[in-house]
Coordinates of all heavy atoms in Angstrom, one line a residue:
V1 N -3.9 0.2 -2.7 CA -2.6 0.7 -2.3 C -1.9 1.6 -3.3 O -1.4 2.6 -3.0 CB -1.7 -0.5 -1.9 CG1 -0.3 0.0 -1.6 CG2 -2.2 -1.2 -0.7
C2 N -2.0 1.2 -4.5 CA -1.3 1.9 -5.6 C -2.0 3.2 -6.0 O -1.4 4.1 -6.6 CB -1.2 1.0 -6.8 SG -0.1 -0.4 -6.5
I3 N -3.3 3.3 -5.7 CA -4.1 4.5 -6.0 C -4.0 4.8 -7.5 O -4.4 4.0 -8.3 CB -3.7 5.7 -5.1 CG1 -3.7 5.3 -3.6 CG2 -4.7 6.9 -5.3 CD1 -3.1 6.3 -2.7
D4 N -3.4 6.0 -7.8 CA -3.2 6.3 -9.2 C -1.8 6.1 -9.8 O -1.4 6.6 -10.8 CB -3.6 7.8 -9.4 CG -2.7 8.8 -8.6 OD1 -1.9 8.3 -7.8 OD2 -2.8 10.0 -8.8
A5 N -1.1 5.1 -9.1 CA 0.2 4.8 -9.6 C 0.2 3.5 -10.3 O 1.2 2.8 -10.5 CB 1.2 4.7 -8.4
A6 N -1.0 3.0 -10.8 CA -1.1 1.8 -11.5 C -2.2 1.9 -12.5 O -3.2 2.7 -12.3 CB -1.3 0.6 -10.5
L7 N -2.2 1.0 -13.5 CA -3.3 0.9 -14.4 C -4.1 -0.4 -13.9 O -3.5 -1.4 -13.6 CB -2.9 0.7 -15.8 CG -2.1 1.9 -16.4 CD1 -1.7 1.6 -17.9 CD2 -3.1 3.1 -16.5
Y8 N -5.3 -0.3 -13.8 CA -6.2 -1.4 -13.3 C -7.0 -2.0 -14.4 O -7.3 -1.4 -15.4 CB -7.1 -0.9 -12.2 CG -6.4 -0.3 -11.0 CD1 -6.0 1.0 -10.9 CD2 -6.0 -1.2 -10.0 CE1 -5.3 1.5 -9.8 CE2 -5.3 -0.7 -8.9 CZ -5.0 0.6 -8.8 OH -4.3 1.1 -7.7
F9 N -7.3 -3.3 -14.2 CA -8.1 -4.0 -15.2 C -9.0 -5.0 -14.4 O -8.7 -5.3 -13.3 CB -7.2 -4.8 -16.2 CG -6.2 -5.7 -15.6 CD1 -6.6 -7.0 -15.4 CD2 -4.9 -5.3 -15.3 CE1 -5.7 -7.9 -14.9 CE2 -4.0 -6.2 -14.8 CZ -4.4 -7.5 -14.6
R10 N -10.0 -5.4 -15.1 CA -10.9 -6.4 -14.5 C -10.3 -7.7 -14.2 O -9.6 -8.2 -15.1 CB -12.2 -6.5 -15.4 CG -13.1 -5.3 -15.4 CD -14.3 -5.5 -16.3 NE -14.0 -5.8 -17.7 CZ -13.6 -4.8 -18.6 NH1 -13.5 -3.6 -18.3 NH2 -13.4 -5.2 -19.8
P11 N -10.4 -8.3 -13.1 CA -9.8 -9.6 -12.8 C -10.3 -10.6 -13.8 O -11.5 -10.7 -14.2 CB -10.3 -9.9 -11.4 CG -10.8 -8.6 -10.8 CD -11.2 -7.8 -11.9
R12 N -9.4 -11.5 -14.1 CA -9.7 -12.6 -15.0 C -10.2 -12.2 -16.4 O -10.9 -12.9 -17.0 CB -10.7 -13.6 -14.4 CG -10.2 -14.2 -13.1 CD -11.1 -15.2 -12.5 NE -10.8 -15.5 -11.2 CZ -11.6 -15.4 -10.2 NH1 -12.9 -15.1 -10.3 NH2 -11.2 -15.6 -8.9
D13 N -9.8 -11.0 -16.8 CA -10.3 -10.5 -18.1 C -9.1 -10.1 -18.9 O -8.5 -9.0 -18.8 CB -11.2 -9.3 -17.9 CG -11.8 -8.7 -19.1 OD1 -11.2 -9.0 -20.2 OD2 -12.8 -8.0 -19.0
A14 N -8.6 -11.0 -19.7 CA -7.4 -10.9 -20.5 C -7.5 -9.7 -21.5 O -6.5 -8.9 -21.6 CB -7.1 -12.1 -21.3
E15 N -8.7 -9.4 -22.0 CA -8.8 -8.3 -22.9 C -8.7 -7.0 -22.2 O -8.0 -6.0 -22.7 CB -10.2 -8.3 -23.6 CG -10.4 -7.3 -24.6 CD -11.7 -7.4 -25.4 OE1 -12.2 -8.5 -25.6 OE2 -12.2 -6.4 -25.9
S16 N -9.2 -6.9 -21.0 CA -9.0 -5.7 -20.1 C -7.6 -5.5 -19.8 O -7.1 -4.3 -19.9 CB -9.9 -5.8 -18.9 OG -9.7 -4.7 -18.0
A17 N -6.9 -6.5 -19.4 CA -5.4 -6.4 -19.1 C -4.7 -6.0 -20.4 O -3.8 -5.1 -20.3 CB -4.9 -7.8 -18.6
A18 N -5.0 -6.6 -21.5 CA -4.3 -6.2 -22.7 C -4.5 -4.7 -23.1 O -3.6 -4.1 -23.5 CB -4.8 -7.1 -23.9
E19 N -5.7 -4.3 -22.9 CA -6.0 -2.8 -23.2 C -5.1 -1.9 -22.3 O -4.6 -0.9 -22.8 CB -7.5 -2.5 -22.9 CG -8.4 -3.1 -23.9 CD -9.9 -3.0 -23.5 OE1 -10.2 -2.5 -22.4 OE2 -10.7 -3.5 -24.3
Q20 N -4.9 -2.3 -21.1 CA -4.1 -1.5 -20.2 C -2.6 -1.5 -20.6 O -1.9 -0.5 -20.6 CB -4.3 -1.8 -18.7 CG -5.7 -1.6 -18.2 CD -6.1 -0.1 -18.2 OE1 -5.8 0.6 -19.1 NE2 -6.6 0.3 -17.1
L21 N -2.2 -2.7 -21.0 CA -0.8 -2.9 -21.5 C -0.6 -2.1 -22.7 O 0.5 -1.4 -22.9 CB -0.5 -4.3 -21.7 CG -0.3 -5.2 -20.4 CD1 -0.2 -6.6 -20.8 CD2 1.0 -4.7 -19.7
I22 N -1.5 -2.1 -23.6 CA -1.4 -1.3 -24.9 C -1.4 0.2 -24.6 O -0.6 0.9 -25.1 CB -2.6 -1.7 -25.8 CG1 -2.4 -3.1 -26.4 CG2 -2.7 -0.6 -27.0 CD1 -3.6 -3.6 -27.1
K23 N -2.2 0.6 -23.6 CA -2.2 2.0 -23.2 C -0.8 2.4 -22.6 O -0.2 3.4 -23.0 CB -3.2 2.3 -22.1 CG -3.3 3.7 -21.7 CD -4.2 3.9 -20.4 CE -5.7 3.6 -20.7 NZ -6.5 3.9 -19.6
L24 N -0.2 1.5 -21.8 CA 1.1 1.8 -21.2 C 2.2 1.8 -22.3 O 3.0 2.7 -22.3 CB 1.4 0.7 -20.1 CG 2.6 0.8 -19.4 CD1 2.6 2.1 -18.5 CD2 2.8 -0.4 -18.5
I25 N 2.2 0.8 -23.1 CA 3.3 0.7 -24.1 C 3.1 1.8 -25.2 O 4.1 2.4 -25.7 CB 3.2 -0.7 -24.8 CG1 3.6 -1.7 -23.8 CG2 4.1 -0.7 -26.0 CD1 3.3 -3.1 -24.2
G26 N 1.9 2.2 -25.5 CA 1.6 3.1 -26.6 C 1.8 4.6 -26.2 O 1.8 5.4 -27.1
D27 N 1.8 4.9 -24.9 CA 1.9 6.3 -24.5 C 2.9 6.5 -23.5 O 2.7 6.2 -22.3 CB 0.5 6.7 -24.0 CG 0.4 8.2 -23.8 OD1 1.4 8.9 -23.7 OD2 -0.7 8.7 -23.6
P28 N 4.1 7.0 -23.8 CA 5.2 7.3 -22.9 C 4.7 8.2 -21.7 O 5.3 8.1 -20.6 CB 6.3 7.9 -23.7 CG 6.0 7.6 -25.1 CD 4.5 7.4 -25.2
L29 N 3.8 9.1 -22.0 CA 3.3 10.0 -20.9 C 2.6 9.3 -19.8 O 2.7 9.6 -18.7 CB 2.5 11.1 -21.5 CG 3.2 12.1 -22.5 CD1 2.2 13.1 -23.0 CD2 4.3 12.8 -21.8
V30 N 1.9 8.2 -20.2 CA 1.2 7.4 -19.2 C 2.2 6.7 -18.3 O 2.1 6.8 -17.1 CB 0.3 6.3 -19.9 CG1 -0.2 5.3 -18.9 CG2 -0.9 7.0 -20.6
W31 N 3.3 6.2 -18.9 CA 4.3 5.5 -18.2 C 5.0 6.5 -17.2 O 5.1 6.3 -16.0 CB 5.4 5.0 -19.1 CG 6.5 4.2 -18.5 CD1 7.5 4.8 -17.8 CD2 6.7 2.8 -18.4 NE1 8.4 3.8 -17.3 CE2 7.9 2.6 -17.7 CE3 6.0 1.7 -18.9 CZ2 8.4 1.3 -17.4 CZ3 6.5 0.5 -18.7 CH2 7.7 0.3 -17.9
E32 N 5.3 7.7 -17.7 CA 6.0 8.7 -16.9 C 5.1 9.2 -15.8 O 5.5 9.3 -14.7 CB 6.3 9.9 -17.8 CG 7.1 11.0 -17.1 CD 7.4 12.2 -18.1 OE1 7.6 11.9 -19.3 OE2 7.6 13.3 -17.5
Q33 N 3.8 9.4 -16.0 CA 2.9 9.8 -15.0 C 2.7 8.7 -13.9 O 2.7 9.0 -12.7 CB 1.5 10.1 -15.6 CG 0.6 10.8 -14.6 CD 1.2 12.1 -14.1 OE1 1.6 13.0 -14.9 NE2 1.3 12.3 -12.8
L34 N 2.7 7.4 -14.3 CA 2.7 6.4 -13.3 C 3.9 6.3 -12.4 O 3.8 6.1 -11.2 CB 2.5 5.0 -14.0 CG 1.1 4.8 -14.7 CD1 1.2 3.5 -15.5 CD2 0.0 4.7 -13.6
V35 N 5.1 6.6 -13.0 CA 6.3 6.7 -12.2 C 6.2 7.8 -11.2 O 6.5 7.6 -10.0 CB 7.5 6.8 -13.2 CG1 8.8 7.1 -12.3 CG2 7.7 5.5 -14.0
I36 N 5.8 9.0 -11.7 CA 5.7 10.1 -10.8 C 4.7 9.8 -9.7 O 4.9 10.1 -8.5 CB 5.2 11.4 -11.6 CG1 6.4 11.8 -12.5 CG2 4.8 12.5 -10.7 CD1 5.9 12.9 -13.6
N37 N 3.5 9.3 -10.1 CA 2.5 8.9 -9.0 C 3.0 7.9 -8.1 O 2.8 7.9 -6.9 CB 1.2 8.4 -9.7 CG 0.6 9.5 -10.6 OD1 0.9 10.7 -10.5 ND2 -0.4 9.1 -11.4
G38 N 3.8 6.9 -8.6 CA 4.4 5.9 -7.8 C 5.3 6.4 -6.7 O 5.3 6.0 -5.6
D39 N 6.2 7.4 -7.1 CA 7.1 8.0 -6.2 C 6.3 8.7 -5.1 O 6.7 8.6 -3.9 CB 8.0 9.0 -6.9 CG 9.1 8.4 -7.7 OD1 9.4 7.2 -7.5 OD2 9.6 9.1 -8.6
R40 N 5.2 9.4 -5.4 CA 4.4 10.1 -4.4 C 3.7 9.1 -3.5 O 3.8 9.3 -2.3 CB 3.3 10.9 -5.1 CG 2.5 11.7 -4.2 CD 1.4 12.5 -4.9 NE 0.8 11.9 -6.1 CZ -0.1 10.9 -6.1 NH1 -0.5 10.4 -5.0 NH2 -0.5 10.5 -7.3
V41 N 3.2 8.0 -4.0 CA 2.5 7.0 -3.2 C 3.5 6.4 -2.3 O 3.3 6.2 -1.1 CB 1.8 5.9 -4.1 CG1 1.4 4.8 -3.3 CG2 0.7 6.6 -4.8
L42 N 4.7 6.0 -2.8 CA 5.7 5.4 -1.9 C 6.1 6.3 -0.8 O 6.3 5.8 0.4 CB 7.0 5.0 -2.7 CG 6.9 3.7 -3.5 CD1 8.1 3.5 -4.3 CD2 6.7 2.5 -2.6
K43 N 6.3 7.6 -1.0 CA 6.6 8.5 0.0 C 5.6 8.7 1.1 O 5.9 9.1 2.2 CB 7.0 9.9 -0.6 CG 8.3 9.9 -1.4 CD 8.6 11.2 -2.1 CE 9.8 11.1 -2.9 NZ 10.0 12.2 -3.8
S44 N 4.3 8.4 0.7 CA 3.2 8.5 1.7 C 3.1 7.3 2.6 O 2.4 7.3 3.6 CB 1.9 8.7 1.0 OG 1.5 7.5 0.3
L45 N 3.8 6.2 2.2 CA 3.7 4.9 3.0 C 4.8 5.0 4.1 O 5.8 5.6 4.0 CB 3.9 3.7 2.1 CG 2.9 3.5 1.0 CD1 3.3 2.4 0.1 CD2 1.5 3.3 1.6
P46 N 4.5 4.3 5.2 CA 5.5 4.2 6.3 C 6.7 3.4 5.9 O 6.6 2.5 5.1 CB 4.7 3.5 7.4 CG 3.6 2.8 6.8 CD 3.3 3.5 5.5
T47 N 7.8 3.8 6.4 CA 9.1 3.1 6.2 C 9.0 1.8 7.0 O 8.2 1.6 7.9 CB 10.3 3.9 6.6 OG1 10.2 4.1 8.1 CG2 10.4 5.2 5.9
P48 N 9.9 0.8 6.7 CA 9.9 -0.4 7.5 C 10.2 -0.1 9.0 O 9.5 -0.7 9.9 CB 11.1 -1.2 7.0 CG 11.2 -0.8 5.5 CD 10.8 0.7 5.5
K49 N 11.0 0.9 9.3 CA 11.3 1.3 10.7 C 10.0 1.8 11.4 O 9.7 1.5 12.5 CB 12.4 2.3 10.8 CG 12.8 2.6 12.2 CD 14.0 3.6 12.1 CE 14.6 3.8 13.5 NZ 15.8 4.7 13.5
Q50 N 9.3 2.7 10.6 CA 8.0 3.2 11.1 C 7.0 2.1 11.4 O 6.3 2.1 12.4 CB 7.4 4.3 10.2 CG 8.2 5.5 10.1 CD 7.8 6.4 9.0 OE1 7.4 6.0 7.9 NE2 7.9 7.7 9.2
K51 N 6.9 1.1 10.4 CA 6.0 0.0 10.6 C 6.4 -0.8 11.9 O 5.5 -1.2 12.6 CB 6.0 -0.9 9.4 CG 5.2 -0.3 8.2 CD 4.9 -1.4 7.2 CE 5.9 -1.3 6.1 NZ 5.6 -2.2 5.0
Y52 N 7.6 -1.0 12.0 CA 8.1 -1.8 13.2 C 7.6 -1.1 14.5 O 7.1 -1.8 15.4 CB 9.6 -1.9 13.2 CG 10.2 -2.3 14.5 CD1 10.2 -3.7 14.8 CD2 10.7 -1.4 15.4 CE1 10.7 -4.1 16.1 CE2 11.2 -1.8 16.6 CZ 11.2 -3.2 17.0 OH 11.7 -3.6 18.2
F53 N 7.8 0.2 14.6 CA 7.4 0.9 15.8 C 5.9 0.9 16.0 O 5.4 0.9 17.1 CB 8.0 2.3 15.9 CG 9.5 2.3 16.2 CD1 10.4 2.7 15.3 CD2 9.9 1.9 17.5 CE1 11.8 2.6 15.6 CE2 11.3 1.8 17.8 CZ 12.2 2.2 16.9
R54 N 5.2 1.0 14.9 CA 3.7 0.9 15.0 C 3.3 -0.5 15.6 O 2.4 -0.6 16.4 CB 3.1 1.1 13.7 CG 3.1 2.6 13.2 CD 2.4 2.8 11.9 NE 2.5 4.1 11.4 CZ 2.0 4.6 10.3 NH1 1.4 3.8 9.5 NH2 2.2 5.8 9.9
Y55 N 3.9 -1.5 15.0 CA 3.6 -2.9 15.5 C 3.9 -3.0 17.0 O 3.2 -3.6 17.8 CB 4.3 -4.0 14.7 CG 3.8 -4.1 13.3 CD1 4.7 -4.3 12.2 CD2 2.4 -4.1 13.0 CE1 4.2 -4.4 10.9 CE2 2.0 -4.2 11.7 CZ 2.9 -4.4 10.7 OH 2.5 -4.6 9.4
V56 N 5.1 -2.5 17.4 CA 5.5 -2.6 18.8 C 4.5 -1.9 19.7 O 4.1 -2.4 20.7 CB 6.9 -2.1 19.0 CG1 7.2 -1.9 20.4 CG2 8.0 -3.0 18.3
D57 N 4.1 -0.7 19.2 CA 3.1 0.1 20.0 C 1.8 -0.7 20.1 O 1.2 -0.7 21.2 CB 2.9 1.4 19.3 CG 2.0 2.3 20.1 OD1 2.2 2.5 21.3 OD2 1.0 2.9 19.5
I58 N 1.3 -1.3 19.0 CA 0.1 -2.1 19.1 C 0.2 -3.2 20.0 O -0.7 -3.5 20.9 CB -0.3 -2.6 17.7 CG1 -0.7 -1.4 16.8 CG2 -1.4 -3.6 17.7 CD1 -0.8 -1.7 15.3
L59 N 1.3 -3.9 19.9 CA 1.5 -5.1 20.8 C 1.6 -4.7 22.3 O 1.1 -5.3 23.2 CB 2.8 -5.9 20.4 CG 2.7 -6.6 19.1 CD1 4.0 -7.2 18.7 CD2 1.6 -7.7 19.1
Q60 N 2.3 -3.6 22.6 CA 2.4 -3.1 23.9 C 1.0 -2.7 24.5 O 0.7 -2.9 25.6 CB 3.4 -1.9 24.0 CG 4.8 -2.3 23.9 CD 5.8 -1.1 23.8 OE1 5.4 0.0 23.5 NE2 7.0 -1.4 24.2
T61 N 0.2 -2.0 23.6 CA -1.1 -1.6 24.0 C -2.0 -2.8 24.3 O -2.7 -2.9 25.3 CB -1.8 -0.8 22.9 OG1 -1.0 0.4 22.7 CG2 -3.2 -0.4 23.3
L62 N -1.9 -3.8 23.4 CA -2.7 -5.1 23.6 C -2.3 -5.8 24.9 O -3.1 -6.3 25.7 CB -2.6 -6.0 22.4 CG -3.3 -5.5 21.2 CD1 -2.9 -6.4 20.0 CD2 -4.8 -5.4 21.3
H63 N -1.0 -5.8 25.1 CA -0.4 -6.5 26.3 C -0.9 -5.7 27.6 O -1.3 -6.4 28.5 CB 1.1 -6.5 26.2 CG 1.7 -7.1 27.5 ND1 1.6 -8.5 27.8 CD2 2.4 -6.6 28.5 CE1 2.2 -8.7 28.9 NE2 2.8 -7.6 29.3
A64 N -0.8 -4.4 27.5 CA -1.3 -3.6 28.7 C -2.8 -3.9 29.0 O -3.2 -4.0 30.2 CB -1.0 -2.1 28.5
R65 N -3.6 -3.9 28.0 CA -5.0 -4.2 28.1 C -5.2 -5.6 28.7 O -6.1 -5.7 29.6 CB -5.8 -4.1 26.8 CG -5.9 -2.7 26.3 CD -6.7 -2.7 25.0 NE -6.8 -1.4 24.4 CZ -7.1 -1.2 23.1 NH1 -7.6 -2.2 22.4 NH2 -7.1 0.0 22.7
K66 N -4.5 -6.5 28.2 CA -4.7 -7.9 28.7 C -4.2 -8.0 30.2 O -4.9 -8.6 31.0 CB -3.9 -8.9 27.9 CG -4.0 -10.3 28.3 CD -3.3 -11.3 27.4 CE -3.5 -12.7 27.9 NZ -2.9 -13.7 27.0
M67 N -3.1 -7.3 30.5 CA -2.7 -7.3 31.9 C -3.6 -6.6 32.8 O -3.9 -7.0 34.0 CB -1.3 -6.7 32.0 CG -0.2 -7.5 31.3 SD -0.2 -9.3 31.7 CE 0.4 -9.2 33.3
G68 N -4.2 -5.5 32.3 CA -5.2 -4.8 33.1 C -6.5 -5.6 33.3 O -7.0 -5.6 34.4
A69 N -6.9 -6.4 32.3 CA -8.0 -7.2 32.5 C -7.8 -8.4 33.4 O -8.6 -8.7 34.2 CB -8.4 -7.8 31.1
I70 N -6.5 -8.9 33.4 CA -6.2 -10.0 34.4 C -6.2 -9.4 35.8 O -6.7 -10.1 36.7 CB -4.8 -10.6 34.0 CG1 -4.9 -11.4 32.7 CG2 -4.3 -11.5 35.1 CD1 -3.6 -11.8 32.1
R71 N -5.7 -8.3 36.0 CA -5.6 -7.7 37.4 C -7.0 -7.4 37.9 O -7.3 -7.4 39.1 CB -4.8 -6.4 37.3 CG -3.3 -6.6 37.2 CD -2.5 -5.4 37.4 NE -1.2 -5.5 36.8 CZ -0.8 -4.9 35.8 NH1 -1.5 -3.9 35.3 NH2 0.4 -5.1 35.3
N72 N -7.9 -7.0 37.0 CA -9.3 -6.7 37.4 C -10.2 -7.9 37.7 O -11.3 -7.8 38.2 CB -10.0 -5.8 36.4 CG -9.3 -4.4 36.3 OD1 -8.8 -3.9 37.3 ND2 -9.4 -3.8 35.1
N73 N -9.7 -9.1 37.3 CA -10.5 -10.3 37.6 C -10.1 -10.9 38.9 O -9.4 -10.9 39.6 CB -10.3 -11.3 36.4 CG -11.1 -10.8 35.2 OD1 -12.1 -10.1 35.3 ND2 -10.6 -11.3 34.1

């Protein structure tokens, strides 16, 4: 989800996590670039209102299919 708006490390690997934290703390440009990338990623995601309407559309479609299947039986 975060794409290039996060620093990643190997799961359950404290050394890998520490390396990324050191990179973040030690280089203000890394921090700045992550913030810029994060803004871009957030703008590409649907808003809560858009998600709501997508869910409603999915539920209406599923309901219509189910009702059509019931009518055809």
Side-chain angles (χ1 to χ4, degrees):
V1 171
C2 294
I3 310 167
D4 61 350
L7 296 177
Y8 296 92
F9 57 90
R10 291 181 297 283
R12 299 185 195 125
D13 185 338
E15 188 173 329
S16 176
E19 288 169 359
Q20 296 296 45
L21 286 171
I22 289 167
K23 182 189 294 187
L24 182 64
I25 293 167
D27 189 346
L29 294 177
V30 170
W31 182 286
E32 185 178 332
Q33 191 60 53
L34 288 174
V35 170
I36 291 167
N37 295 349
D39 285 340
R40 181 182 35 76
V41 169
L42 279 175
K43 289 175 184 169
S44 73
L45 298 173
T47 65
K49 187 175 183 176
Q50 290 169 325
K51 282 195 261 185
Y52 166 80
F53 284 113
R54 285 182 186 178
Y55 290 138
V56 168
D57 185 50
I58 290 168
L59 291 172
Q60 288 174 335
T61 299
L62 291 173
H63 177 70
R65 286 183 189 165
K66 183 175 181 178
M67 296 309 291
I70 290 172
R71 286 189 202 116
N72 292 332
N73 288 332

